[in-house]
Amino acid sequence: MANFSFDIESTLDKAELTNVFEQVKRDIASRYDFKGTPAEIEWLDDNHDGFKVTGNSDYQIESIAQLIRLSLGKRGLSQKLLDVSGPITTTNLKAARRCLLNRV
């Protein structure tokens, strides 16, 4: 009798994630409703484990998260990679959220 087994390896394509990051940065720079605001996206750390999204309101944070989701979808990556369940912190008229990348 044959024994079948398989292993599932969960890896992220760092090149595609870098492309998503750069595309969202370009989208933020070109959108009229983000002009003159603190809207930006940054890597959380050197390992590229997630994004730090900054804006002046919850609306901007959600808009940037939607841009990330759209860019992930265009690149054939699952939108489940993005974990936006963390709280939005507000300081000095800026709102920020950590968007972690899940290993699915």
Side-chain angles (χ1 to χ4, degrees):
M1 176 158 210
N3 289 330
F4 296 104
S5 70
F6 61 93
D7 295 330
I8 297 175
E9 183 178 334
S10 179
T11 60
L12 294 175
D13 187 0
K14 296 288 187 179
E16 285 297 327
L17 289 176
T18 301
N19 291 338
V20 167
F21 176 77
E22 293 299 326
Q23 179 63 44
V24 171
K25 279 185 80 163
R26 284 191 299 271
D27 288 345
I28 290 171
S30 67
R31 282 188 49 166
Y32 179 77
D33 56 341
F34 290 161
K35 298 278 187 205
T37 65
E40 68 177 342
I41 184 172
E42 305 171 27
W43 287 111
L44 278 179
D45 53 17
D46 292 336
N47 295 333
H48 297 185
D49 289 332
F51 306 118
K52 178 183 176 190
V53 177
T54 307
N56 65 357
S57 65
D58 296 352
Y59 171 75
Q60 274 193 347
I61 300 293
E62 293 301 324
S63 295
I64 295 171
Q66 184 63 26
L67 288 174
I68 296 169
R69 286 186 197 101
L70 289 172
S71 188
L72 284 170
K74 287 178 185 176
R75 301 227 170 246
L77 300 172
S78 173
Q79 295 179 15
K80 293 179 183 180
L81 286 174
L82 193 65
D83 178 17
V84 293
S85 62
I88 296 176
T89 57
T90 306
T91 57
N92 296 337
L93 302 175
K94 286 185 180 180
R97 172 181 273 165
R98 294 177 55 172
C99 299
L100 299 175
L101 296 172
N102 294 324
R103 309 272 194 243
V104 293

